[in-house]
Amino acid sequence: LPAGLSQWFPALEVLDVSGTGLTEMGTELLSLPCLHTLLAKNNRLGGPGSLPKGLEQAPLARSLRVLNLSGNRFSEVPPALLQLRGLRSLSLGGNRLHGIPPDIQELHSLEFLYLGGNFITAIPPELAKLPSLRYLVLCDNKIQSIPPQLAQLHSLRSLSLHNNLLTYLPREILNLVHLDELSLRGNPLVVRFVRDLTYNPPSLQELAGRTIKTRNVPYAPSDLPESLVRYLSLASNCPNPKCGGVYFDSCVRQIKFVDFCGKYRLPLMHYLCSPECSSPFSSASQSSTSQSESDSEDEASVAAHRMQKVLLG
């Protein structure tokens, strides 16, 4: 940065030095008491001395609200940044970060945190102690699990987790009552989910057989070839009482966890006649339905109501 910057522009509020090949930012920054937005994207920052010493004691530490250091070479979040207590937006995407320091919780005013495009493998529970956080971007990392404490981010509106290594989400995520957008595409969880949704449409023979069975069309063995009579005898009733349909070869498999003797939860496979039959049991019509199943269905309906936009693929 040019010397005398604070003398030339003492009231400078926004500084954009993106794409200038910077390897370090000098002490001139420390004397800009009005600077609230600093953009230094796509440079070569990240080595020793990239940030000026004494940053946490300078007026800048109190005035800065937006800091964008994306597209640089930081391998860790600089400790000095965690002292910028007035910071509302922090972007460190496209760096070389391997983790998130627990001291991130010190940025109490943070509303926007962008850490996408790094090598982060885990999310510290301390991240949940950011009461003002509204937008959290952790996409394109190597994250394998989400800590349940993240449900304490009651102000969160958008959570981007696409292109990670997630195989499941914690049950507590349903407590994010203000969440409008959840991006999950490109995770093993979603890849498996989308694969399981694939459904081969019924053949013409099966459609005809379903029609005969559901509409009780009368027929006698003398009316049809023996092979078709045998085929019609293989009809299975759909376990969804709200459907009343049948299926032959084309069905949808679904895992349901059912309470057994009040002690265990067993994963049972159910076969449904079509993707529309997503709930094979109903507590009103099936006395064998467990309370846990009803609870899970209630949670699903609540989640569907709360989650306006879920990006799966």
Side-chain angles (χ1 to χ4, degrees), residues 8 118 135 182 184 195 218 233 251 276 293:
W8 299 340
N118 284 286
Y135 301 93
L182 174 62
L184 294 171
R195 184 188 63 220
S233 67
C251 61
E276 287 74 21
E293 287 178 326

Side-chain angles (χ1 to χ4, degrees), residues 130-168:
L130 297 175
S132 303
L133 196 63
R134 295 167 59 88
Y135 301 93
L136 177 58
V137 181
L138 295 168
C139 60
D140 299 290
N141 279 286
K142 300 182 181 298
I143 299 168
Q144 300 183 33
S145 62
I146 303 298
Q149 291 86 348
L150 225 60
Q152 300 170 16
L153 292 172
H154 299 302
S155 298
L156 202 62
R157 298 292 191 276
S158 177
L159 177 58
S160 295
L161 294 167
H162 52 273
N163 298 332
N164 276 285
L165 301 176
L166 296 172
T167 56
Y168 70 96

Side-chain angles (χ1 to χ4, degrees), residues 2 9 11 27 40 45 50 71 82 91 125 134 143 185 196 214 257 311:
F9 307 103
T27 56
L45 301 169
S50 291
L82 302 177
S91 299
R134 295 167 59 88
I143 299 168
R185 66 183 184 276
D196 291 344
T214 55
F257 284 86
L311 304 177

Side-chain angles (χ1 to χ4, degrees), residues 12 15 23 33 71 112 154 313:
L12 190 65
L15 177 61
T23 57
F112 178 91
H154 299 302

Side-chain angles (χ1 to χ4, degrees), residues 218-263:
Y219 66 92
S222 58
D223 298 332
L224 300 171
E226 183 180 350
S227 59
L228 291 182
V229 173
R230 190 183 314 112
Y231 178 79
L232 290 172
S233 67
L234 299 176
S236 299
N237 292 323
C238 183
N240 186 352
K242 300 177 182 178
C243 172
V246 299
Y247 64 89
F248 293 87
D249 303 312
S250 181
C251 61
V252 175
R253 294 183 299 174
Q254 183 185 62
I255 296 290
K256 294 289 287 188
F257 284 86
V258 180
D259 282 351
F260 180 70
C261 297
K263 296 181 180 179

Side-chain angles (χ1 to χ4, degrees), residues 195-207:
R195 184 188 63 220
D196 291 344
L197 280 181
T198 57
Y199 173 63
N200 294 323
S203 65
L204 292 178
Q205 176 176 282
E206 172 144 352
L207 289 174

Side-chain angles (χ1 to χ4, degrees), residues 23-45:
T23 57
E24 63 179 51
M25 291 188 286
T27 56
E28 295 79 12
L29 278 177
L30 305 182
S31 339
L32 295 172
C34 301
L35 190 68
H36 60 71
T37 299
L38 175 58
L39 309 177
K41 303 178 294 180
N42 304 324
N43 284 298
R44 291 180 288 172
L45 301 169

